[in-house]
Amino acid sequence: MSKAECELYFKKIDSKGFRVKYWDEEVVDYGKGEPNFTITFKKDLADFSIKEGDLTELIEDNAEEIIDIDGKIDDICAAFGFNQETDTFKTIKRQILLSIAELLINVRKERQKKEVQSHYDLGNDFFSLWLDDTMTYSCAYFKDPNMSLRDAQIEKINHTLKKLDLKKDERLLDIGSGWGHLILKAAQEYGVKCMGITLSEEQFRATKDLIKRSGLEDRVEVRLMNYLDLDENKLQFDKIVSVGMFEHVGKENLEKYFEKINKLLVDKGLSLLHTITLPEVSEEDSFSIWLKKYIFPGGYIPELRELVSILPKYDFHLMHLESLRMNYALTLDKWYENYSLHAKEIEEKFGRQFMRRWGFYLKGCANAFRTSGLDVHQLLFSKGLNNDMPLTFEYIYK
């Protein structure tokens, strides 16, 4: 990678000002206005033979020797974004972003510690530091941008349950039920019988305890199992909901998900899928690669049109579609604020590299929702034609 190629790349970036210090000690300002952050190249990139498949390993081994970043993470993310480049400067962009992820604002890279094998079983104590007390780990719903995180999460649960048009004694399945507040609220306020499914032992134990403390053992249960193992010959549901779980299904299992929903859902039954989406799926950008390696191994974010195109194959009819994109950006802002307050505590327990990575994950995702086309949608669909629903969706927004 030559200096000329770097200069051409930086000149193309339309953002607030930033400064680049090259390995030959030349200092150049790019963008508009005074520099908001500084990129320092410590070595000539021509010294490194970069192959696309080896890029991550190169950064892992040499990040502290190659590049240093100094500035606010918001400004850096806004300048480079996370959209896939289609021109010849893709490689340098990926190198810079991966370096930002590893170094996270002018901090030398530590040697990689043993990777945490599970995302959700890091411990309820960890998540409780920065989630609200409902322990809802998905996009909130802000009727007012000044709402507290807790109030916005309760509004999200209310908003989701309203869409399902629940009736007393109906059977509700929640796939990926998290810490259980959605199924608990559904039973308490709508009188439905609920089952939650989770693969997380931490969430399972916490939900069991919540159900017991609420005295709802006769109406709510939670199972530690894969939803694909549910026996449709013994279990049928009037309504099925899944919030923030679908991203873990994997590309090869998208249709298996809808096939299973079809088998578990009664005729005219309703299902709501709440999931992150992309406008289109192309070669993965560096932020996605980084997330898969360190935060969500095996994750896959589908195109919205990819999901909509599958629905008719299983006699599903899309009834309502809503984007909550900016709501997720605000949610991540709130999480990051809470996380920052406990950064020292998290560092003491998990190490500095872990603390920095999760901070970058939360802040980087907030920026991605604002700038890259990353979205989150709620899709409400029926099995077969349902002519019994209200004629308008006013009932959701009352």
Side-chain angles (χ1 to χ4, degrees):
M1 181 68 62
S2 69
K3 182 177 177 180
E5 288 176 308
C6 290
E7 291 176 324
L8 282 173
Y9 175 75
F10 290 131
K11 287 177 182 178
K12 287 169 60 70
I13 297 174
D14 184 20
S15 73
K16 293 180 180 179
F18 62 97
R19 176 165 293 162
V20 176
K21 297 180 179 179
Y22 289 99
W23 49 87
D24 61 3
E25 299 186 357
E26 183 182 8
V27 178
V28 183
D29 290 346
Y30 299 94
K32 302 171 183 176
E34 291 296 314
N36 285 278
F37 61 91
T38 300
I39 298 171
T40 301
F41 287 105
K42 301 178 180 180
K43 289 193 176 183
D44 189 337
L45 292 184
D47 294 341
F48 297 90
S49 176
I50 301 175
K51 297 180 181 179
E52 195 74 9
D54 299 330
L55 183 62
T56 300
E57 286 71 19
L58 173 73
I59 297 301
E60 287 294 313
D61 295 337
N62 301 287
E64 74 276 13
E65 299 178 12
I66 301 174
I67 192 169
D68 206 2
I69 312 291
D70 185 17
K72 293 183 179 179
I73 190 67
D74 284 347
D75 294 331
I76 299 166
C77 289
F80 292 101
F82 301 116
N83 291 315
Q84 178 64 37
E85 287 289 338
T86 57
D87 58 26
T88 58
F89 304 104
K90 178 176 63 176
T91 301
I92 180 65
K93 174 180 174 180
R94 292 182 67 188
Q95 180 169 335
I96 290 168
L97 283 174
L98 281 166
S99 298
I100 292 168
E102 271 315 300
L103 295 168
L104 196 54
I105 318 305
N106 202 23
V107 178
R108 288 179 63 85
K109 180 178 177 289
E110 299 174 356
R111 285 295 173 186
Q112 183 176 344
K113 296 180 180 179
K114 184 178 180 181
E115 288 301 316
V116 178
Q117 298 299 308
S118 169
H119 183 96
Y120 295 96
D121 281 338
L122 287 168
N124 293 337
D125 289 343
F126 168 68
F127 287 102
S128 67
L129 292 175
W130 47 278
L131 299 180
D132 67 291
D133 61 8
T134 70
M135 294 289 282
T136 303
Y137 188 27
S138 56
C139 172
Y141 187 69
F142 291 84
K143 286 188 173 181
D144 180 327
N146 297 315
M147 290 177 70
S148 70
L149 177 61
R150 184 182 191 280
D151 288 347
Q153 290 291 13
I154 291 173
E155 282 296 336
K156 189 276 298 299
I157 293 173
N158 289 335
H159 190 60
T160 301
L161 293 176
K162 282 181 180 180
K163 288 185 178 182
L164 289 165
D165 194 34
L166 295 167
K167 303 291 192 301
K168 183 176 173 56
D169 291 330
E170 284 188 332
R171 296 152 296 176
L172 171 67
L173 172 65
D174 185 357
I175 299 175
S177 52
W179 281 271
H181 277 267
L182 185 145
I183 52 177
L184 194 74
K185 195 171 186 66
Q188 289 173 329
E189 298 195 5
Y190 293 89
V192 298
K193 298 176 181 179
C194 302
M195 177 186 292
I197 298 294
T198 181
L199 291 174
S200 165
E201 292 187 3
E202 291 278 336
Q203 292 178 343
F204 173 72
R205 288 194 293 267
T207 303
K208 289 270 289 185
D209 182 62
L210 182 64
I211 294 169
K212 184 176 181 180
R213 286 189 283 110
S214 302
L216 290 169
E217 293 98 327
D218 60 329
R219 301 197 74 82
V220 184
E221 68 169 306
V222 61
R223 296 187 182 184
L224 184 64
M225 65 183 298
N226 192 308
Y227 75 99
L228 291 172
D229 294 330
L230 288 168
D231 187 350
E232 60 269 15
N233 295 314
K234 297 179 180 179
L235 295 168
Q236 289 285 287
F237 298 92
D238 302 287
K239 309 287 169 66
I240 298 177
V241 64
S242 182
V243 178
M245 167 271 182
F246 194 75
E247 298 88 343
H248 304 287
V249 165
K251 182 175 177 59
E252 68 281 2
N253 293 317
L254 295 186
E255 294 207 16
K256 288 182 181 179
Y257 173 88
F258 289 103
E259 180 182 8
K260 191 65 176 182
I261 299 301
N262 177 274
K263 292 177 179 178
L264 292 168
L265 197 60
V266 302
D267 289 337
K268 298 184 180 181
L270 299 180
S271 183
L272 184 142
L273 176 62
H274 174 124
T275 184
I276 298 172
T277 63
L278 287 170
E280 62 178 353
V281 175
S282 57
E283 184 180 351
E284 289 184 304
D285 60 78
S286 21
F287 187 58
S288 297
I289 294 170
W290 185 86
L291 282 176
K292 276 191 176 183
K293 182 167 185 177
Y294 296 116
I295 309 297
F296 291 111
Y300 173 74
I301 299 176
E303 293 181 12
L304 177 59
R305 60 184 174 183
E306 191 175 10
L307 300 182
V308 174
S309 69
I310 294 174
L311 295 179
K313 297 181 182 181
Y314 299 96
D315 197 22
F316 290 140
H317 299 261
L318 184 63
M319 304 182 70
H320 190 271
L321 175 66
E322 183 176 19
S323 167
L324 301 179
R325 180 178 63 85
M326 284 304 296
N327 284 274
Y328 216 160
L330 287 172
T331 304
L332 285 152
D333 288 343
K334 299 284 189 181
W335 287 344
Y336 183 75
E337 289 174 14
N338 293 341
Y339 185 90
S340 298
L341 294 174
H342 297 280
K344 183 175 179 59
E345 183 178 349
I346 293 168
E347 180 181 347
E348 289 174 353
K349 184 172 183 179
F350 294 101
R352 187 168 183 79
Q353 188 176 67
F354 177 95
M355 180 273 291
R356 288 188 286 113
R357 281 179 177 166
W358 273 74
F360 180 75
Y361 147 61
L362 295 172
K363 199 63 177 177
C365 284
N367 181 77
F369 277 108
R370 287 189 168 94
T371 65
S372 73
L374 189 68
D375 211 324
V376 59
H377 283 93
Q378 287 194 340
L379 295 85
L380 179 69
F381 52 92
S382 64
K383 178 179 175 179
L385 292 171
N386 185 326
N387 297 331
D388 301 324
M389 291 287 290
L391 292 176
T392 73
F393 289 101
E394 183 181 359
Y395 73 94
I396 296 174
Y397 300 98
K398 284 183 179 179

